[in-house]
């Protein structure tokens, strides 16, 4: 199936940004009623009328015919490809939404599943109900990658919805050895989503595509731009590390292999650490010195805290182990108050913003078999905590006597 590329419905002025292109695509699909459920399509990989027909075109690709293991994103317009993969008895891998609980899941339909049951398995609900997590040591070898897009050019340059998950998923698969530069990438879009994209907008971590499927066309891009060669840690924020636990595991493995795993915002933490080392002795508080309560706390009011509570520490954890984990996650505090016998510690940062960022980094952190409890601490009067269990203050609060 082949047709000549038109100029498309969208005009793109000089100096256009990726977000400009996204907004134009979303607006056009809504205004022309090309969008399909769920709507509005803004801030999504847009579903469109004719998406099922576009998905059928993948049957004409040799790369699909010979693929045994196929990774397909969970976006609604790719539902037809997920169904075809299962009908063709291929191993279907679907990324975990926002990578919260791992990289991807293997979809396993019930034995003897009917076509209607396979259709259900291809939906977002089916992906949740009939999936098995795939671990880092699963030896997955993906033969074909299918991603959603907001916009794509005939040269194979792609723009997603702006959160970077498809790019990151691919980079993580590279790090796992699940894909290589030769692994083909397919995207499925409406014809209006095939537009010119200035090369200046592309970055090294952006995923490119080899095939574009629309309701009317099959485009072979012949893209020669290299795909991501792994995770670019300098592009990963501490906040993202906190949201995606599997990133922490991959970072640890790559660090053990001697790779540079410096995070985007680690340089700021290094500067904070240096400022601590050069601080006058009078400003460095010993663990047993109580903090000076601010006026608001004396009046019984919450004060924005620069201190983070870490609880559920294993009984045999050493302070050096916690410090090492904090450094590796880019969340090293200015000071640390260790209360190992009580299975907790308090981390003191430069300001409340740094404390909040550290909390994002540390969510899901495990030491031994324990998942640590991490929360913002607030300075209050001891009388404000009356009613709490003795010796175990609420994670959101600490008393001067606890330090």
């Amino acid at each position: 199936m082949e047709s000549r590329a038109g100029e498309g419905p969208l005009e793109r002025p000089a100096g256009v940004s990726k977000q400009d292109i996204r907004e134009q695509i979303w607006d056009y699909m809504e205004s022309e009623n090309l969008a399909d459920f769920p709507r509005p399509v803004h801030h999504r990989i847009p579903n469109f009328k004719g998406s099922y027909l576009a998905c059928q075109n993948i049957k004409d690709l040799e790369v699909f015919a010979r693929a045994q293991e196929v990774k397909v994103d969970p976006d609604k317009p790719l539902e037809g490809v997920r169904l075809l993969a299962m009908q063709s008895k291929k191993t279907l891998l679907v990324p975990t939404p926002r990578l919260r609980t791992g990289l991807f899941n293997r979809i396993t339909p019930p034995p003897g599943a009917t076509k209607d049951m396979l259709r259900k398995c291809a939906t977002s609900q089916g992906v949740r109900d009939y999936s098995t997590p795939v671990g880092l040591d699963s030896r997955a070898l993906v033969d074909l990658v299918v991603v959603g897009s907001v916009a794509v050019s005939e040269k194979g340059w792609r723009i997603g919805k702006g959160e970077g998950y498809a790019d990151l998923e691919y980079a993580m698969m590279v790090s796992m050895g699940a894909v290589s530069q030769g692994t083909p990438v397919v995207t499925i879009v409406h014809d209006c989503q095939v537009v010119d994209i200035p090369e200046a907008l592309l970055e090294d971590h952006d995923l490119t595509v080899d095939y574009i499927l629309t309701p009317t066309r099959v485009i072979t891009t012949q893209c020669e731009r290299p795909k991501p060669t792994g995770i670019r840690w300098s592009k990963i924020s501490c906040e993202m590390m906190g949201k995606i636990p599997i990133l922490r595991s991959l970072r640890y493995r790559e660090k053990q292999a001697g790779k540079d795993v410096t995070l985007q915002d680690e340089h700021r933490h290094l500067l904070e650490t240096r400022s601590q080392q050069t601080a006058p002795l009078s400003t460095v508080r010993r663990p047993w010195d109580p903090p000076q309560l601010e006026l608001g706390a004396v009046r019984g009011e919450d004060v924005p805290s620069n201190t983070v509570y870490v609880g559920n520490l294993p009984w045999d954890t050493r302070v050096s182990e916690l410090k090492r984990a904090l450094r590796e996650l880019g969340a090293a505090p200015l000071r640390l108050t260790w209360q190992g016998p009580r299975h907790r510690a308090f981390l003191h940062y430069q300001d409340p913003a740094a404390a909040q960022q550290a909390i994002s980094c540390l969510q899901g952190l495990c030491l031994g078999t324990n998942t640590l409890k991490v929360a913002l601490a607030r300075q209050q009067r001891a009388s404000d905590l009356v009613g709490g269990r003795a010796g175990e203050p609420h994670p959101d609060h600490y008393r001067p006597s606890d330090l």
Side-chain angles (χ1 to χ4, degrees), residues 49-89:
K49 294 172 181 176
S51 63
Y52 186 80
L53 181 60
C55 288
Q56 298 304 301
N57 287 334
I58 202 168
K59 293 187 293 187
D60 298 332
L61 297 182
E62 177 63 26
V63 292
F64 179 77
R66 65 171 183 256
Q68 296 181 347
E69 196 156 316
V70 183
K71 176 258 185 186
V72 185
D73 282 355
D75 308 305
K76 181 68 174 176
L78 307 183
E79 202 169 282
V81 173
R82 295 194 291 273
L83 176 60
L84 284 170
M86 289 184 287
Q87 289 176 333
S88 303
K89 308 296 184 183

Side-chain angles (χ1 to χ4, degrees), residues 18 21-22 45 71 73 75 78 146-169 185-189 193 195 197-198 201-203 205-210 212 223 225:
K18 286 183 179 179
I21 295 175
R22 291 185 190 105
I45 297 296
K71 176 258 185 186
D73 282 355
D75 308 305
L78 307 183
V146 184
V147 298
S149 301
V150 174
V152 65
S153 77
E154 290 192 23
K155 294 180 179 180
W157 302 340
R158 171 189 173 275
I159 295 176
K161 60 185 176 183
E163 295 181 339
Y165 283 104
D167 303 325
L168 181 57
E169 288 160 8
V185 178
V186 177
T187 193
I188 293 167
V189 295
Q193 293 173 259
V195 298
I197 298 175
L201 295 181
L202 300 187
E203 298 182 71
H205 65 271
D206 287 331
L207 180 62
T208 56
V209 304
D210 303 292
I212 303 168
C223 184
R225 187 181 180 90

Side-chain angles (χ1 to χ4, degrees), residues 298-332:
V298 173
R299 294 174 178 170
E301 301 170 3
D302 281 1
V303 180
S305 178
N306 60 355
T307 300
V308 173
Y309 164 94
V310 178
N312 199 35
L313 291 167
W315 67 271
D316 57 347
T317 299
R318 297 184 177 183
V319 66
S320 59
E321 295 177 81
L322 178 59
K323 287 181 177 179
R324 186 183 310 115
L326 295 173
R327 286 195 302 269
E328 290 178 354
L329 292 173

